Amino acid sequence: MSAEIATGITDDPLDSGALIDSARLDTCGAVASFIGVVRNHDGGEAVEAIEYSCHPSARQILREIVSEKSDRPGVHRIVAWHRVGHLGIGEDAMVVAVAAEHRAQAFRAVEAIVEDVKAKLPVWKKQELTDGSHSWSGL
């Protein structure tokens, strides 16, 4: 039986607490989560903000990434959201939460989803540096 899934890409701020809580189920003994947060540096350069943009297919691809993990043993609910638009330091860029019967199942599913998002999701990141320049990643 496949897990329930909820995915999305939005330009609204992510409410990580609410998203993680939405993964909870009475039948599951574990909820593991990951929150990707905008940090103030990268590769030795000071970062001021990030601008995320995505391909129109990104919503469907995120859903496919999560769906691929939905039949893992013990996993019953998966929540995965990514933010686009202008994000300041400390803002949440991605939230993934998995409810599973046991912690190892939840941890493994979260890690697999996050790694696939980084490798497959067509989201591009423009880092605005404090010196006024910028750098791109994900292209």
Side-chain angles (χ1 to χ4, degrees), residues 55-125:
H55 189 273
S57 66
R59 284 172 180 77
Q60 180 59 36
I61 291 170
L62 179 59
R63 189 160 191 82
E64 289 169 5
I65 289 168
V66 171
S67 292
E68 289 171 2
K69 310 300 184 276
S70 68
D71 61 352
R72 287 177 167 232
V75 172
H76 293 278
R77 185 174 287 160
I78 303 171
V79 176
W81 282 74
H82 203 295
R83 176 124 178 248
V84 293
H86 187 269
L87 283 75
I89 303 304
E91 290 192 76
D92 297 342
M94 180 170 57
V95 176
V96 176
V98 174
E101 294 170 15
H102 303 285
R103 68 182 175 276
Q105 296 163 328
F107 284 135
R108 285 193 298 268
V110 167
E111 182 178 28
I113 292 164
V114 171
E115 293 303 322
D116 276 0
V117 165
K118 292 291 288 180
K120 299 176 183 177
L121 191 66
V123 170
W124 305 284
K125 178 171 71 171

Side-chain angles (χ1 to χ4, degrees), residues 27 53 65:
T27 57
S53 57
I65 289 168

Side-chain angles (χ1 to χ4, degrees), residues 1 18 24 42 47 88-89 99 102 117 132 138:
M1 185 165 131
R24 291 177 173 270
D42 188 37
V47 174
I89 303 304
H102 303 285
V117 165

